[in-house]
Amino acid sequence: MNEKKHWDQLAPEYNNEIFDAYASDKFKKLPRYINKHGSPIKTAIDFGCGNGKSFPYLAPAFKSVLGVDISKRLLKQAAALNFKNVTLKAHDVTRKPQVPKADFAFCCNVVMFPDFDKNIKAFQNIARALKPGGTALLVLPSLDSALFSAWQLIQMYKNEGVKAAHIPAHEFHFKGNMRNILQGIVHIDNVPTKHYSASELEVILPQAGFTITNLEKLEYDWNTELANPPKNLGAPYPWDWLVEVRA
Ligand SMILES: C[S@@+](CC[C@H](N)C(=O)[O-])C[C@H]1O[C@@H](n2cnc3c(N)ncnc32)[C@H](O)[C@@H]1O
């Protein structure tokens, strides 16, 4: 997939089409983690900043913030937010960073390429962009959550007397062959998107040069996953992985 073309094309409809992790963060964990690492003498980089949804959190918490993204059209929207201590740069996270090393890196729903080697390169590049001992906060799609949401969908149909075998295939995000599913490829709006198991992250993040310091759920309401969830559908909620790592 050509990410630059894909995201540039999506840019005009970005706010309508793309999931907003900050608004959906049910227990407001993102601002808590950002503030935990923020400091008026520290610098931050947001890898894949999109149109700058993280800036209202990062900009007040850090001395300066560098937002990088592959899409120039999204960077233009981010620039219009006009945060005084934020600078922007077009950059592909799968390529070596050519930026001053930062104290903190943030990367929310970016490292989810269907090409596995690209994900490893992106993690390595985020690690390279940090000062020794610096922290990165990563938000990554969860395979476990996608499977659990599919299970909840099956329960909803069952309650209406429909067997799993009779649920229309388009209701599920899993497409293609079994090997795709086993490798964590889930289709979101028909885009193959890498989803991770926690155990996989425990293997690959250290290989990319990180020590995991926290791995927890970033939870969202059920209406982010299911079209008409029953009103009483509560915890466990669907989630992304929220991973705090040290370089
Ligand atoms: C789902 S959006 C998330 C945006 C933002 N992090 C947020 O949470 O609002 C994915 C972002 O990753 C960017 N992106 C995709 N591939 C990239 C790459 N190879 N290098 C840098 N940015 C990339 C896209 O342009 C888009 O802004």
Side-chain angles (χ1 to χ4, degrees), residues 3 7 14 22 48 50 69-70 74 91-93 108-110 113:
E3 274 90 26
W7 288 99
Y14 183 91
Y22 316 89
D69 202 281
I70 201 163
L74 285 173
H91 173 69
D92 178 344
V93 71
C108 179
N109 283 332
V110 178
F113 306 108

Side-chain angles (χ1 to χ4, degrees), residues 1 3-4 6-8 14 18-22 46-54 68-72 74 91-95 106-113 118 122 139:
M1 181 168 115
E3 274 90 26
K4 185 176 174 342
H6 174 80
W7 288 99
D8 270 340
Y14 183 91
I18 300 302
F19 177 67
D20 184 338
Y22 316 89
D46 182 355
F47 284 95
C49 63
N51 66 357
K53 290 217 158 59
S54 70
V68 299
D69 202 281
I70 201 163
S71 163
K72 287 195 175 147
L74 285 173
H91 173 69
D92 178 344
V93 71
T94 65
R95 294 175 186 269
F106 184 61
C107 187
C108 179
N109 283 332
V110 178
V111 188
M112 48 189 193
F113 306 108
K118 276 193 175 182
V139 178

Side-chain angles (χ1 to χ4, degrees), residues 61-77:
F62 288 91
K63 181 175 86 175
S64 65
V65 178
L66 172 63
V68 299
D69 202 281
I70 201 163
S71 163
K72 287 195 175 147
R73 292 181 83 177
L74 285 173
L75 286 173
K76 210 171 160 191
Q77 293 178 21

